[in-house]
Amino acid sequence: MSDIKKYTQANREAWNEAMPHHQKSNADKWDIAFSDKGFSVIKEPELSLIESLNFQGQKIAHVCCNNGVELMSLKNMGAGECVGFDISDEAIQEARERAARVDIACEFVQTDAYDIPEKYHDTFDIVYISIGCLGWMPAIQRFFGKVAALLNEDGELFIHESHPFSEMLPSDDLDNVDPMKIIEPYFKQEPYIDNDGIDYVGKTTYKSKSMYWFVWTLSDILMGIIDNGMKVRHFSEYPDDISTLHGKNQESGPEIPLSYILIAEKE
Ligand SMILES: C[S@@+](CC[C@H](N)C(=O)[O-])C[C@H]1O[C@@H](n2cnc3c(N)ncnc32)[C@H](O)[C@@H]1O
């Protein structure tokens, strides 16, 4: 097994294990929400920026789409063909079943991001990446190589992610630690290995299969994009925690960078 596969397969199993925990608290909520025609989870500051791409009618790929609620929202807002890719069998099953139930025409494909089939290459106007994707990728350069391959010649990449700066700070579940104290390195060579579960939805903990989270610096991300033939044309940083892990940092006083939006276009 290649090094990449060793990590992504472990993460696949961990995500399959996690999804029933998320579904316990969330599944009905999304069914009710999406029964309202036109429902969307996309909010500011993302909303204005994604609208600036004139995405209506455009073909969108969502890599790491999880249960598909963001992609289904984009579809409800007028996107054209929509395809979501995710490694978790359980997440894709939930996405497919809900899309069918509420009659939203999105395609959902279970695949490792690194293995997205070639038939999808050169076909997308927009590749959309939202909170909590890049850290699951064991090789960021190769990941952005796949993103570039998915885009058509005028295609654009849209990322709304947690800021790498926040990786240095304690997450909310750590008690008795100053939330503003730097406790982790910015330049982290090895992945974090976690066995405490990822129920950031219901906030329960469980003994989980090992999952591997990689910290990519801003320069890793920017160079991964640039080296794969894309030009960054927008970058903005925000003091908002979009991860649900750094609420204490957001509330603690000084405004620090907790999230960012980046738009790049194929050169
Ligand atoms: C935090 S969730 C993304 C959540 C999404 N933004 C949301 O809020 O629902 C991360 C997702 O990445 C997926 N993932 C992890 N590694 C992957 C890989 N190698 N290829 C494709 N998807 C992957 C997981 O299965 C999971 O659904």
Side-chain angles (χ1 to χ4, degrees), residues 12-44:
R12 175 186 185 179
E13 288 179 26
W15 271 100
N16 281 341
E17 184 182 44
M19 287 312 294
H21 292 271
H22 292 197
Q23 287 155 358
K24 214 179 276 171
S25 357
N26 246 356
D28 289 351
K29 166 181 146 184
W30 293 127
D31 275 356
I32 294 164
F34 279 101
S35 62
D36 188 0
K37 290 282 168 228
F39 173 78
S40 168
V41 295
I42 313 289
K43 300 198 171 50
E44 293 296 352

Side-chain angles (χ1 to χ4, degrees), residues 165-172 174-184 239 241 245-258:
F165 180 85
S166 65
E167 301 277 4
M168 295 189 287
L169 299 170
S171 52
D172 288 348
L174 284 183
D175 291 325
N176 306 318
V177 186
D178 175 357
M180 299 305 266
K181 185 172 180 204
I182 290 179
I183 58 165
E184 299 289 351
D241 171 41
L245 297 172
H246 291 281
K248 289 184 192 167
N249 298 131
Q250 184 177 327
E251 287 151 20
S252 63
E255 292 199 334
I256 55 171
L258 292 174

Side-chain angles (χ1 to χ4, degrees), residues 4-5 7-9 11-12 14-16 19 22 30 41 62-70 85-89 91-92 109-116 128-138 143 160-161 198 200-201 212-213 242:
I4 290 184
K5 275 276 161 280
Y7 294 121
T8 59
Q9 281 309 311
N11 287 340
R12 175 186 185 179
W15 271 100
N16 281 341
M19 287 312 294
H22 292 197
W30 293 127
V41 295
H62 185 181
V63 183
C64 298
C65 67
N66 192 260
N67 64 0
V69 299
E70 290 146 321
F85 301 99
D86 199 284
I87 201 165
S88 163
D89 312 69
I92 288 296
V109 181
Q110 185 283 319
T111 176
D112 189 337
Y114 293 96
D115 300 333
I116 294 174
Y128 174 81
I129 291 172
S130 59
I131 172 67
C133 175
L134 300 184
W136 298 111
M137 298 304 147
F143 175 74
H160 188 190
E161 261 283 15
I198 22 173
Y200 53 83
V201 178
Y212 298 87
W213 177 259
I242 57 168

